[in-house]
Amino acid sequence: MGICNGRTVIITGAGGGLGRAYALAFAAEGANVLVNDIRADAAAAVVDEIVTQGGRAIANSDDITRLDSAGRIVDAALSAFGEVHVLVNNAGVLADRMFVSLTEEDWDKVMQVHLRGHFCLANILARRWRDAAKAGKHVDARIINTSSGAGLQGSVGQANYAAAKGGIASLTLVQAAELGRYGITANALAPAARTAMTQAAMPDVVKAPEDDSFDLWSADNVAPLVVWLGSSLSAEVTGQIIESQGGRISLGDGWRTGETLDKGARWQVTEIGEAMSQLLGRAQPAQKVWGS
């Protein structure tokens, strides 16, 4: 009996990289898996792997960025498996340029896949789960989003991607606060692994070791955390941003009110410089932007 036995998970962008690793790991722990990817052949190949190993899975290539097509994804999972318990929003895309070189198309493409893609399926499923909870049914549901170190700290040459991933982190906090009453948890990952995107962006950094040493960048390293978050065992964990790479798991320490000066009256323009100097002198420096 696996820790996800009988649970059904929808995973987007699961035709390769992290999504494929998640799909295989969920199936190994007894979950029914809907493998979604715009590349139908890639999704089908992952399903074949799962079925060959004795698991249950179906392939789907519907668009995650529209509510109507996202609805078809949910309907396919319900038809095949009866219910959905877990959503892993994993699909992503890059359009990297320095900020001054970004086009509207670069910006909109990344926002559509990451932010709209995180909204549509989660919105449909959250409504379903909320209605079930209000009808008196037991709900033990999970939303697992994908942020990034770029979204938490910024990344040179990735203003659009960093903004989208930062938005996903904030979205996760709101989802956790609003949906907990219905038996739904929401957490976000900031995974670091070898995928098609990272191989394109930094191939020398993420390449596999040539010997038998630990593969720090293997997507398989992240999968156990995702499967645990999708299980009933994680019911008390919500609203967390979790970084994962190799053998490391870290909790993100998010925005919070820091060093403060309160004059008790309106500040004069001539006083602001000294006040800011005091605050900055006492504050803990933020982590550097990636690439700076």
Side-chain angles (χ1 to χ4, degrees):
M1 294 284 287
I3 66 169
C4 289
N5 196 57
R7 290 171 74 76
T8 295
V9 56
I10 293 173
I11 307 173
T12 68
L18 285 164
R20 172 184 171 274
Y22 301 162
L24 293 171
F26 267 108
E29 289 294 334
N32 308 310
V33 184
L34 184 145
V35 177
N36 169 267
D37 200 292
I38 58 172
R39 303 164 300 166
D41 55 342
V46 175
V47 168
D48 286 344
E49 287 187 78
I50 291 172
V51 172
T52 298
Q53 296 172 19
R56 299 183 67 199
I58 61 171
N60 178 279
S61 58
D62 281 306
D63 185 356
I64 65 170
T65 69
R66 301 197 328 267
L67 282 173
D68 59 344
S69 50
R72 292 197 293 270
I73 299 171
V74 173
D75 289 344
L78 294 174
S79 178
F81 305 122
E83 189 51 89
V84 177
H85 307 90
V86 184
L87 169 64
V88 181
N89 280 316
N90 169 73
V93 68
L94 292 176
D96 290 354
R97 299 179 191 274
M98 299 301 282
F99 177 74
V100 296
S101 299
L102 283 173
T103 66
E104 283 184 291
E105 290 75 17
D106 295 329
W107 187 267
D108 291 345
K109 174 183 178 181
V110 170
M111 295 302 157
Q112 181 179 29
V113 174
H114 289 279
L115 287 176
R116 282 184 61 90
H118 269 63
F119 165 74
C120 291
L121 278 166
N123 182 261
I124 292 168
L125 286 168
R127 289 170 184 265
R128 177 180 178 82
W129 293 329
R130 177 202 60 187
D131 292 347
K134 286 187 172 183
K137 297 179 181 178
H138 175 68
V139 175
D140 188 27
R142 306 283 181 268
I143 297 172
I144 303 171
N145 294 325
T146 304
S147 184
S148 167
L152 304 180
Q153 296 159 224
S155 179
V156 171
Q158 293 189 308
N160 49 357
Y161 180 76
K165 289 302 192 182
I168 288 167
S170 296
L171 169 65
T172 303
L173 302 182
V174 176
Q175 288 173 328
E178 292 184 354
L179 301 176
R181 72 193 73 178
Y182 306 122
I184 307 165
T185 69
N187 294 285
L189 302 166
R194 184 170 52 254
T195 67
M197 290 201 309
T198 56
Q199 284 180 307
M202 47 183 186
D204 292 336
V205 175
V206 302
K207 64 182 179 182
E210 297 179 357
D211 54 23
D212 294 331
S213 60
F214 178 51
D215 186 355
L216 183 69
W217 292 93
S218 172
D220 293 336
N221 298 331
V222 184
L225 169 62
V226 181
V227 173
W228 184 85
L229 286 172
S231 76
S232 293
L233 300 176
S234 66
E236 303 304 316
V237 178
T238 193
Q240 299 298 320
I241 314 298
I242 307 169
E243 294 186 84
S244 176
Q245 179 190 21
R248 174 178 62 85
I249 298 174
S250 306
L251 291 181
D253 188 6
W255 289 101
R256 64 184 70 243
T257 302
E259 294 293 335
T260 302
L261 284 175
D262 187 351
K263 179 183 175 182
R266 181 182 301 132
W267 290 91
Q268 300 298 312
V269 171
T270 54
E271 298 173 318
I272 298 296
E274 176 58 27
M276 287 300 298
S277 293
Q278 290 184 43
L279 290 172
L280 291 171
R282 285 158 32 188
Q284 181 177 348
Q287 288 181 238
K288 286 188 175 181
V289 170
W290 290 101
S292 67

